[in-house]
Amino acid sequence: MFCPQCGTQVTPGQQRFCRECGAEVGRDPDQEARRAAQRPAGHARRASGLPRCALSNQVMERDTTMRTLLMVGGLLLLLPLAIPLAVGTLVAGLVAGVALVAMVLKLAPVLALALVLYWIVIRQRRTLRSGR
């Protein structure tokens, strides 16, 4: 069996659409035209027979309008949750920074004492070496 539009060989029992052009195979084109003539005017069918698809360079491209709208709607619904999260992160960062500065200021005398003791020990070692 061959595709009525492009002539590509098609397996009749396994394929419903042509893999090259996307046309429906296995139907009589005259019978499809009679069905289209019997339909009411408001129920016009798309030329390709595929729902919301566009054939471009023999590759089917899906219409992603609904997906985009759902993503934008979801982001708009999540925005009120993201604002407190961002503000909370900033506040937590400020609190952590203040705590770090306070810890350094509290440890400053201990660090100064350690430096003085280190200086004394080094000085005594130098005097002992020079005295020998």
Side-chain angles (χ1 to χ4, degrees), residues 4 14 26 35 45 60 84 92 100 128:
Q14 297 173 352
R35 283 187 192 166
R45 197 166 177 187
M60 198 177 321
L100 185 63
L128 288 175

Side-chain angles (χ1 to χ4, degrees), residues 68-80:
T68 305
L69 288 174
L70 288 173
M71 288 171 60
V72 168
L75 288 175
L76 288 175
L77 289 173
L78 290 175
L79 187 62

Side-chain angles (χ1 to χ4, degrees), residues 15-103:
Q15 283 183 273
R16 187 171 170 196
F17 298 98
C18 176
R19 67 174 171 249
E20 292 295 322
C21 68
E24 192 169 1
V25 293
R27 286 201 174 182
D28 184 16
D30 295 330
Q31 183 182 10
E32 188 66 32
R34 281 182 295 222
R35 283 187 192 166
Q38 292 173 355
R39 284 191 203 113
H43 291 76
R45 197 166 177 187
R46 290 181 183 85
S48 67
L50 301 174
R52 298 188 61 91
C53 293
L55 294 175
S56 169
N57 294 332
Q58 298 180 350
V59 176
M60 198 177 321
E61 297 175 358
R62 294 198 179 264
D63 186 12
T64 58
T65 306
M66 184 57 78
R67 183 187 307 173
T68 305
L69 288 174
L70 288 173
M71 288 171 60
V72 168
L75 288 175
L76 288 175
L77 289 173
L78 290 175
L79 187 62
L81 297 174
I83 292 171
L85 183 65
V87 171
T89 304
L90 289 174
V91 170
L94 287 174
V95 169
V98 168
L100 185 63
V101 168
M103 183 181 70

Side-chain angles (χ1 to χ4, degrees), residues 89-123:
T89 304
L90 289 174
V91 170
L94 287 174
V95 169
V98 168
L100 185 63
V101 168
M103 183 181 70
V104 167
L105 290 177
K106 200 167 197 174
L107 288 177
V110 175
L111 291 173
L113 181 64
L115 284 173
V116 169
L117 288 174
Y118 177 75
W119 179 73
I120 291 172
V121 169
I122 294 295
R123 188 167 179 197

